Amino acid sequence: MPASRRHVIFAAAAAAMLSGCGVNTVPTEEEAAKAKWADVQAAFQERANLIPNLAAVAKGAAEQEKGILVGVTEARAKATSIQISAEDLKDPAKMKAFQDAQNQLSGALGGFGRLLANAEAYPQLKSITNYQMLQSQLEGQENRIRVAIRDYNGAVQSYNTTIRTFPAMVAAKVIYGAKPMVPYQAVTPGAEVAPSLEGKL
């Protein structure tokens, strides 16, 4: 067999072996997880963008509501100040800080909704035509956040499984030095379920 033909056969065999050990799979799944994380960040940013509208609609409400509006505004500021890069997805401490800030904002929004559940106390809010639209936007955004987190966690699970199973783990360790990514975990009880704002706003 000519040397050139042997080289071609060897190169083809080497390529097949490398593809079989996850050389392409590991970075493909990592990039997919990063893309899903970008969707999570976009969903949280959209929610943060709705908060000023929420505050504007409720600005004329009763005196005791001011504390909750301040809490929502402060929680929003903290949530938007913590940014996670693609490389931070493998850092449990940074992910926890981000999750805690987002959960704090979720809690603040929940407190606002509970306060407004007493419609008789705030009849002026019910008469604002934009209020129902805001209610719908907030509910829809919470659902988008839930779906984005579910999709991200699914991509992380797939990536983490790939880098821990043979044969892809060979490429993951030897070639890429891959580390597991951190899934998003909601620490607030029931935070994985989009809250119902029916009758609260």
Side-chain angles (χ1 to χ4, degrees):
M1 181 183 296
S4 60
R5 184 167 173 78
R6 281 200 305 270
H7 286 254
V8 170
I9 292 172
F10 176 76
M17 285 172 43
L18 286 173
S19 67
C21 72
V23 168
N24 293 325
T25 305
V26 172
T28 298
E29 293 201 1
E30 182 177 14
E31 291 304 315
K34 288 178 181 178
K36 295 298 183 186
W37 177 250
D39 293 340
V40 172
Q41 288 186 306
F44 278 130
Q45 185 60 53
E46 287 173 16
R47 179 176 71 171
N49 293 344
L50 286 174
I51 303 298
N53 296 335
L54 180 67
V57 167
K59 191 178 280 186
E63 183 69 26
Q64 65 263 37
E65 190 176 304
K66 287 185 179 177
I68 288 192
L69 285 174
V70 169
V72 168
T73 303
E74 289 176 352
R76 175 189 181 272
K78 183 173 182 181
T80 55
S81 71
I82 299 176
Q83 297 298 316
I84 298 288
S85 71
E87 295 310 310
D88 294 332
L89 297 176
K90 298 173 184 176
D91 186 332
K94 289 182 179 178
M95 285 293 288
K96 184 178 185 312
F98 182 87
Q99 290 167 190
D100 288 348
Q102 294 300 333
N103 288 332
Q104 184 179 355
L105 178 52
S106 294
L109 285 171
F112 185 77
R114 285 191 297 277
L115 182 67
L116 297 183
N118 185 356
E120 293 78 21
Y122 309 103
Q124 71 274 27
L125 293 178
K126 285 290 184 180
S127 67
I128 298 174
T129 56
N130 289 336
Y131 211 76
Q132 296 243 335
M133 181 182 70
L134 179 60
Q135 173 185 347
S136 175
Q137 287 177 337
L138 285 170
E139 289 176 338
Q141 194 54 44
E142 290 298 331
N143 281 324
R144 283 190 284 278
I145 289 171
R146 180 178 51 81
V147 169
I149 288 173
R150 183 197 66 198
D151 291 348
Y152 167 71
N153 282 348
V156 166
Q157 180 184 21
S158 179
Y159 170 77
N160 288 348
T161 300
T162 295
I163 68 171
R164 294 179 61 203
T165 53
F166 187 82
M169 66 187 295
V170 174
K173 289 184 178 180
V174 176
I175 298 175
Y176 300 113
K179 294 181 180 178
M181 287 185 168
V182 182
Y184 191 97
Q185 297 175 344
V187 295
T188 303
E192 72 282 0
V193 179
S196 172
L197 302 179
E198 186 67 32
K200 295 178 183 176
L201 297 180

